[in-house]
Amino acid sequence: MEASGTGNMKFMMNGALTLGTYDGANVEIHREVGDENMFLFGLRTEDVAKLRPTYVSKDWYAKDPEIKAALDMIKANVFSLLEPGLFEPILRSLLDYNDYYMLLADLRSYSEAQDRVDAAYRDAKKWNRMSLVNVARSGFFSSDRSVMEYARDIWHISPVKF
């Protein structure tokens, strides 16, 4: 359940645009580049806290035709014709074990975010500007700054002059 945000930061430094949920490194990337230079989707922490006690993934499956169609295609082995049942563990996780990460609750938001990605990509000038903003604002994630903050805030040590 541990993730590393350094991958997203490396992508950012190379001009990639983030498509992701508002957690981990994406919170810091968002702080640096803003809504207009990345594609966020999904529930926020406070939304998850409110929804989790009553979340029933099978209800999301039943009420959303797009979710139902996608999962039914997985169940029908559309994506695993040569190895039927390959994705059965995913279906069990989502439906039988109540989708711990609440992925079905985020699916509609993800789909809308992907539409925004597609639209931005069709506008080369906009896409390039967004990419350049990401590269320009990635300096915040330098190891020099990180080590200095760790030294000051966690280890409580000062630099030594040579």
Side-chain angles (χ1 to χ4, degrees), residues 32-150:
E32 296 304 310
V33 302
D35 285 332
E36 65 278 8
N37 294 300
M38 65 186 305
F39 305 96
L40 292 173
F41 68 91
L43 300 169
R44 299 289 176 108
T45 303
E46 58 275 10
D47 301 322
V48 170
K50 282 186 228 170
L51 182 58
R52 185 168 300 284
T54 61
Y55 184 73
V56 178
S57 62
K58 287 181 179 179
D59 291 348
W60 289 80
Y61 168 79
K63 75 179 178 183
D64 188 314
E66 188 175 358
I67 290 172
K68 185 175 185 332
L71 295 185
D72 287 350
M73 287 193 312
I74 294 170
K75 193 180 299 186
N77 296 302
V78 170
F79 308 108
S80 57
L81 293 174
L82 299 178
E83 198 171 337
L86 177 66
F87 300 117
E88 187 62 33
I90 294 172
L91 291 173
R92 281 198 310 273
S93 175
L94 293 173
L95 298 174
D96 297 340
Y97 302 114
N98 203 37
D99 181 19
Y100 179 79
Y101 294 103
M102 301 168 74
L103 301 171
L104 299 184
D106 279 347
L107 190 56
R108 174 73 48 205
S109 178
Y110 167 78
S111 182
E112 292 165 358
Q114 187 62 62
D115 289 343
R116 293 192 311 273
V117 170
D118 294 345
Y121 187 73
R122 286 189 194 99
D123 182 346
K125 186 175 180 179
K126 177 180 181 175
W127 186 270
N128 290 337
R129 188 192 72 62
M130 293 171 73
S131 180
L132 288 171
V133 167
N134 272 263
V135 171
R137 300 305 307 266
S138 68
F140 174 79
F141 300 108
S142 77
S143 57
D144 289 342
R145 184 216 32 100
S146 299
V147 170
M148 291 286 281
E149 286 183 9
Y150 274 54

